[in-house]
Amino acid sequence: MRSELRIAGFGGQGVIKAALLAALASGLGEGKEVAQTQSYGPEARGGACKSDVVISDHVIDYMKPLSIDTLVVMSQPAMDQYAAELDLEKATIIADSTLVSRIPAEAKNVVRVAATATAENEFGAALFTNIVMLGALAAVTGMISLDALHDALEGNVPPKTLDTNRTALKRGYELARASAQ
């Protein structure tokens, strides 16, 4: 089975890091085939940014998404820009409700998680928003297990933030589970 994930926001939100962690968790942690690509504007911070992850049980013959299953979106400009590339009847949208207020009415599968507010209020920095969103991804889709994401953090985040990242991951999972009910 092939699953396609897009993580989008603006540069500086950890979009690329989140996608790399998702790819590592799927590939190394769960033994799946993965391909990860990224695109961002010329501005290092604040510009448009997206990263796609293709996950498959079989060899991936085309590494770009054909039909995005899940959009993890962390900014309104990213929502506005990438909604047109989704089948809004089928795709799952996991939106940071702190920064994404408008989602197309046609979207059928939407989960809102106050990821930025949670990162700032509970962990002291927006820096952990992407990890909160990865936890939400695990809870909502099951595309990648929480355990595999937990393990992928080691060696891929600064050691002094490892415990906080793990707590942020779990918190995102809990928030999404509560939101989806």
Side-chain angles (χ1 to χ4, degrees):
M1 179 170 178
R2 180 181 170 115
S3 299
E4 298 179 355
L5 165 66
R6 172 165 292 161
I7 301 174
F10 51 80
Q13 284 187 304
V15 168
I16 307 298
K17 176 60 90 175
L20 289 170
L21 288 166
L24 284 168
S26 295
L28 295 176
E30 298 181 335
K32 301 214 174 144
E33 298 291 324
V34 295
Q36 183 267 331
T37 58
Q38 58 202 36
S39 172
Y40 45 89
E43 308 88 1
R45 289 201 173 280
C49 184
K50 71 173 181 174
S51 190
D52 298 326
V53 182
V54 176
I55 303 166
S56 180
D57 295 328
H58 306 288
V59 173
I60 297 170
D61 57 0
Y62 185 69
M63 63 189 276
K64 298 226 177 192
L66 301 168
S67 178
I68 298 166
D69 300 298
T70 305
L71 172 66
V72 173
V73 62
M74 298 189 288
S75 74
Q76 189 63 54
M79 181 77 256
D80 297 342
Q81 183 171 353
Y82 299 119
E85 296 180 37
L86 301 175
D87 179 342
L88 294 170
E89 298 265 331
K90 296 179 183 173
T92 299
I93 297 171
I94 304 168
D96 180 350
S97 62
T98 310
L99 301 176
V100 180
S101 57
R102 294 180 318 278
I103 296 173
E106 304 83 21
K108 301 293 182 213
N109 305 308
V110 178
V111 176
R112 292 172 174 86
V113 176
T116 298
T118 299
E120 291 174 343
N121 296 332
E122 295 183 24
F123 306 110
L127 173 74
F128 300 101
T129 300
N130 61 339
I131 306 302
V132 172
M133 292 299 278
L134 282 177
L137 172 71
V140 172
T141 68
M143 183 184 295
I144 307 165
S145 73
L146 186 64
D147 288 341
L149 286 164
H150 181 272
D151 293 346
L153 291 170
E154 185 145 2
N156 293 296
V157 297
K160 67 181 181 179
T161 68
L162 181 60
D163 289 339
T164 305
N165 274 288
R166 286 183 169 158
T167 304
L169 183 71
K170 183 178 178 193
R171 186 68 176 119
Y173 186 90
E174 294 165 351
L175 289 169
R177 294 287 296 213
S179 178
Q181 293 177 349

